[in-house]
Amino acid sequence: MQKEYRTVYQEATFIYEEKRSRFIARVLPVRTEEEAIGFINRVRSESRDATHHCYAYYIEGDTTYQRYSDDGEPAGTAGIPILEVIKKRQLVNIVIVVVRYFGGILLGAGGLVRAYGKAAAGGVLEAREIRVKSCVEAKIYVEYHLSGKLQNMLLSEGFILGGTEYSDRVTFKVLIDENQKGNLEEKVSEITGGKACIAYCGHKLIKMDESNHILEIS
């Protein structure tokens, strides 16, 4: 599992027009090549009357997949410009399909490169760039009278709180990097006098926007 990477948050559409040609960018975050191919086929099916369905995707996991297609446009004028948007923004696990409806006026190679690039970039903007980070989830169990001090410490030290549960004790869910375990244990022991318990519960993925606000934990 990648520790951290950049991708997009959601499926999105962006329309760019150039000399009566319409370039419709369709963007989707994906985790596998099968998902990317499935999306490309879906877009093709939904816009069968389009002149071209050009695409690029870049996926990292156990294997890296990088593919692009000009789909009948002059070589190098569509798929590569779309892929360059992905690479320039340092995005992974993303597929972009740009559907073109020909408007009757030839754009030339340079015009096509610019149009496909602008459409793809607009699609990425609409899909919202995010950071995805793999963290260890720690559950900290503490008595109620110590919970306020513990919570203040966790926030002041910059630990990410993933939730709080209240039962016979208070349970804080904290998301940390693998190498933060020792620091967390030391800080928790110090603030509670060794009266808190910590259990590690596997990994979680945190999706954050460009301002480091948490959008989703899964």
Side-chain angles (χ1 to χ4, degrees), residues 90-145:
Q90 298 181 315
L91 301 172
V92 302
N93 297 350
I94 178 176
V95 56
I96 304 175
V97 184
V98 180
V99 176
R100 183 189 182 191
Y101 289 87
F102 182 53
I105 300 175
L106 296 175
L107 300 182
L112 288 173
V113 169
R114 287 190 295 273
Y116 277 102
K118 286 182 178 180
V124 167
L125 187 63
E126 290 295 321
R128 196 175 181 184
E129 292 179 57
I130 61 169
R131 290 190 302 119
V132 180
K133 185 175 183 178
S134 175
C135 292
V136 175
E137 183 181 54
K139 288 186 177 181
I140 307 173
Y141 303 92
V142 67
E143 300 297 331
Y144 274 82
H145 70 281

Side-chain angles (χ1 to χ4, degrees), residues 80-89 91 96 117 120-121 124:
I80 289 178
I82 298 169
L83 183 62
E84 282 301 308
V85 170
I86 295 172
K87 291 296 192 69
K88 184 177 180 180
R89 303 300 304 172
L91 301 172
I96 304 175
V124 167

Side-chain angles (χ1 to χ4, degrees), residues 135-139 162 173-176 199-204 217:
C135 292
V136 175
E137 183 181 54
K139 288 186 177 181
K173 295 180 181 179
V174 183
L175 299 161
I176 61 171
Y200 297 104
C201 310
H203 289 81
K204 295 284 186 178
I217 299 174

Side-chain angles (χ1 to χ4, degrees), residues 39-103:
F39 181 68
I40 294 165
N41 290 335
R42 172 158 68 90
V43 173
R44 281 176 172 155
S45 176
E46 292 171 353
S47 53
R48 291 190 182 92
D49 56 337
T51 315
H52 303 280
H53 300 83
C54 306
Y55 66 81
Y57 58 82
Y58 188 83
I59 301 163
E60 286 186 356
D62 294 335
T63 304
T64 297
Y65 298 96
Q66 174 181 293
R67 302 283 188 274
Y68 63 86
S69 170
D70 295 312
D71 192 36
E73 294 282 31
T77 62
I80 289 178
I82 298 169
L83 183 62
E84 282 301 308
V85 170
I86 295 172
K87 291 296 192 69
K88 184 177 180 180
R89 303 300 304 172
Q90 298 181 315
L91 301 172
V92 302
N93 297 350
I94 178 176
V95 56
I96 304 175
V97 184
V98 180
V99 176
R100 183 189 182 191
Y101 289 87
F102 182 53

Side-chain angles (χ1 to χ4, degrees), residues 10-14 25-29 39 122-128:
Q10 60 199 358
E11 182 175 347
T13 300
F14 177 79
R26 302 279 300 274
V27 183
L28 185 73
F39 181 68
V124 167
L125 187 63
E126 290 295 321
R128 196 175 181 184

